[in-house]
Amino acid sequence: MDATVWIALWAVLFLASHLIISSSAVRSRLIGAVGEQPYRGIYSLIAFATLGPLIYEFARNKHAGPLLWALRAVAPIRGLAWLLMLTALILLVGSFITPNPGVIGAPKGGSEPRGLLKITRHPGLVGFSLFGIAHLLMNGRAGDVIFFGLFPALGIIGGMHQDRRKIRELGDLYREFVAKTSFVPFAALIGGRVRWAGNDMPWAVIGVGVVLTVAIVALHPMIFGGHPLG
């Protein structure tokens, strides 16, 4: 079977299994049958069982399939890709410091958003999406498009899926949080649903994001191959 088809197969299996097992109907039944901690173990096992082969197949067949677009040499697009990567890393780091109140392990509290949550209520998922979009701009082969396209697909579909499930589980608390925030970055701020304050500025998160960006530029050729700047 063609490498591009294998990449597509594992990508679909990973996305579908991720959404199915985290759906309210399946999740509640599994937790009722085996308990919360065993459910998390099953969830992780299925995720690794599909993500592992996907990464392996892609690593063995980078740039597989026909060329769909070639934007790597276009300076403005390359600059946009790096801006997206820097933003993605800042959001990913920020998602651990200021997590969405609906994610596992988030501290209990009210529905009032703060910090990066005023920009988007899903900083981690938006960060994954921007990571994928940045790499889509720089990699136009069919296999690359399928692999990196999985990130925004998981981020967008997963965010919508999580919002619906958390409203059912947490009720008014999460419904109020959704009403004050936005999935699309900056939409809540532009719409006036929240106001940015001086103490919302995540300086430490931005600093870590910049350091990670510099480190990735330096280590990318050794770990992933290719050079981001060349």
Side-chain angles (χ1 to χ4, degrees), residues 15-207:
L15 182 60
S17 62
H18 179 85
L19 295 178
I20 290 171
I21 199 171
S22 63
S23 66
S24 294
V26 175
R27 184 176 185 274
S28 59
R29 291 179 182 178
L30 281 176
I31 290 177
V34 302
E36 179 75 30
Q37 291 302 323
Y39 163 80
R40 294 184 185 183
I42 294 171
Y43 181 94
S44 299
L45 181 62
I46 293 176
F48 282 119
T50 51
L51 182 61
L54 171 61
I55 294 174
Y56 175 77
E57 193 66 38
F58 177 74
R60 290 178 63 245
N61 299 282
K62 291 180 181 178
H63 314 309
L67 181 65
L68 303 179
W69 57 76
L71 302 174
R72 184 178 291 270
V74 182
I77 300 298
R78 196 175 190 84
L80 174 61
W82 269 109
L83 179 60
L84 291 174
M85 273 301 301
L86 173 61
T87 306
L89 290 170
I90 290 171
L91 289 172
L92 287 170
V93 172
S95 69
F96 293 100
I97 296 175
T98 312
N100 177 299
V103 302
I104 295 174
K108 302 297 182 183
S111 60
E112 197 62 37
R114 58 190 177 88
L116 287 177
L117 295 177
K118 291 184 177 180
I119 296 176
T120 172
R121 64 175 165 268
H122 292 295
L125 293 176
V126 171
F128 274 117
S129 299
L130 295 181
F131 167 87
I133 293 170
H135 283 77
L136 282 171
L137 292 174
M138 294 293 98
N139 298 277
R141 293 282 179 181
D144 303 331
V145 171
I146 294 169
F147 180 79
F148 291 115
L150 177 66
F151 291 89
L154 182 63
I156 295 170
I157 298 173
M160 296 169 63
H161 179 80
Q162 185 182 100
D163 284 342
R164 289 194 297 267
R165 180 165 59 84
K166 288 302 178 180
I167 286 175
R168 287 194 295 267
E169 293 176 357
L170 302 178
D172 289 340
L173 180 66
Y174 196 79
R175 189 176 289 107
E176 291 173 8
F177 176 73
V178 169
K180 295 175 181 177
T181 58
S182 63
F183 188 11
V184 178
F186 297 104
L189 285 166
I190 294 173
R193 283 179 275 168
V194 289
R195 292 186 180 276
W196 190 260
N199 58 1
D200 287 318
M201 196 67 184
W203 293 114
V205 172
I206 293 173

